Amino acid sequence: MKVGCHLSSSGGYLAMAQTAVSIGANVFQFFTRNPRGGAAKPIDANDVAAFIEYASANGIGPILAHAPYTLNAAGAEPRVREFAEATMADDLVRLERTPGAMYNFHPGSHVGQGAEAGIRLISDMLARIFDAFGRAPSTTVLLETMAGKGSEIGRTFEELADIIEKTESRAKGVKLGVCLDTCHVWDGGYDIVGDLGGVLDEFDRVVGIGRLKAVHTNDSMNVLGAHKDRHEKIGKGKIGLEAFRRIVNEPRLRSLPFYLETPCDLQGYKEEIELLKSLVA
Ligand code: FE
Ligand code: FE
Ligand code: ZN
């Protein structure tokens, strides 16, 4: 089983991998820079080299880089969109240092412009970034399923499919993926507790199951369709432990990497990783 959690990147790549091993994880997620945005720390070539060696010796990966959650590719102001574009372009360049990583981002919020306009802005931005890159990056870029809080785009599988289709039709050779956040899809109205198989059937029909590359494994403080996005510890929320047992054993999910983003400290994550492993039949 590939399982881990979100870790602080303040100590660098090797420190994250060592922390992952110390809590029983073999994957991890991290922010590429301050989650509220801003400049990224310069990459330390020695740290990256030590990380790559340690990761291969310890079976760590794939690592999942998370874009700052303040990026809004669908913002109404050009300044907001330009910041998102420059940040994502820079993140993808930096991630070439750790080949085979994945990069997850929140599609954006249309802030009253309408989902269709927002989807156009997001796919235009992605196409420009890939175009400037000059080739398909070694990093797989993932759109995260969203809870639909405010004007968030990406609550429905249709919106994600639309962004993928509009981007790939222009960015040749690029294959986008999706990160399914269990709290977000539940809050977004997909009943993964009562009908996990049906939700995945729908995902397959609309997006294609092969697009699914990662699972953000979070319980939710809120009821189905609440559009709130408040993560809870596994088994302590409205999704509940039995649903997570089905999730980690589901044939279409079980080979994917599971990344916890629950309100836990390291010890709490260690226990949740053990818990998830114990659910595997
Ligand atoms: Fe996220
Ligand atoms: Fe998430
Ligand atoms: Zn969330």
Side-chain angles (χ1 to χ4, degrees):
M1 182 185 195
K2 289 274 181 197
V3 59
C5 62
H6 189 94
L7 294 175
S8 163
S9 59
S10 61
Y13 281 102
L14 178 62
M16 286 191 281
Q18 289 169 331
T19 301
V21 168
S22 78
I23 58 172
N26 51 11
V27 294
F28 61 88
Q29 174 178 268
F30 61 102
F31 283 124
T32 55
R33 60 190 74 217
N34 183 309
R36 272 165 271 114
K41 279 198 297 188
I43 287 183
D44 174 348
N46 292 324
D47 177 48
V48 168
F51 161 73
I52 289 172
E53 192 177 323
Y54 184 88
S56 88
N58 289 277
I60 305 284
I63 59 171
L64 178 57
H66 195 306
Y69 49 72
T70 48
L71 293 198
N72 188 7
E77 296 170 50
R79 184 184 53 80
V80 171
R81 299 197 299 268
E82 283 156 17
F83 176 71
E85 184 165 343
T87 301
M88 197 177 291
D90 184 48
D91 281 346
L92 289 178
V93 169
R94 293 161 57 89
L95 285 165
E96 289 299 296
R97 306 289 285 272
T98 49
M102 300 193 291
Y103 181 67
N104 174 72
F105 78 105
H106 297 179
S109 296
H110 65 70
V111 291
Q113 303 170 96
E116 200 178 323
I119 286 166
R120 172 65 62 187
L121 287 168
I122 296 162
S123 50
D124 282 351
M125 186 200 78
L126 289 170
R128 277 195 307 274
I129 289 173
F130 290 124
D131 193 42
F133 206 86
R135 60 187 161 84
S138 85
T139 304
T140 305
V141 175
L142 309 183
L143 303 162
E144 182 166 354
T145 60
M146 301 309 292
K149 196 173 54 171
S151 64
E152 273 175 354
I153 296 166
R155 182 188 67 77
T156 67
F157 299 157
E158 283 79 5
E159 289 176 351
L160 297 173
D162 203 5
I163 296 168
I164 291 169
E165 193 273 316
K166 284 185 166 66
T167 304
E168 291 185 356
S169 64
R170 281 174 293 166
K172 294 297 165 224
V174 168
K175 276 256 171 281
L176 295 172
V178 173
C179 174
L180 183 132
D181 186 310
T182 55
C183 169
H184 295 179
V185 290
W186 169 256
D187 279 32
Y190 290 102
D191 187 6
I192 55 172
V193 175
D195 187 17
L196 177 63
V199 171
L200 293 174
D201 288 347
E202 188 171 344
F203 185 91
D204 188 32
R205 197 159 56 238
V206 176
V207 183
I209 201 76
R211 298 280 185 185
L212 197 50
K213 302 295 182 194
V215 180
H216 278 169
T217 317
N218 306 307
D219 211 324
S220 173
M221 289 185 183
N222 292 291
V223 295
L224 176 67
H227 307 308
K228 287 280 206 322
D229 189 5
R230 297 283 307 281
H231 300 187
E232 182 54 284
K233 293 176 180 159
I234 301 299
K236 305 276 189 245
K238 304 288 188 209
I239 295 176
L241 195 61
E242 286 314 304
F244 284 102
R245 187 190 305 278
R246 291 191 291 274
I247 286 167
V248 298
N249 287 295
E250 159 64 42
R252 288 170 285 182
L253 302 178
R254 67 183 175 206
S255 62
L256 297 176
F258 294 92
Y259 304 87
L260 292 156
E261 306 176 304
T262 52
C264 283
D265 58 13
L266 266 187
Q267 180 58 34
Y269 277 136
K270 182 171 193 263
E271 289 164 17
E272 281 198 335
I273 288 164
E274 278 164 20
L275 175 64
L276 288 180
K277 287 178 178 172
S278 77
L279 297 177
V280 175

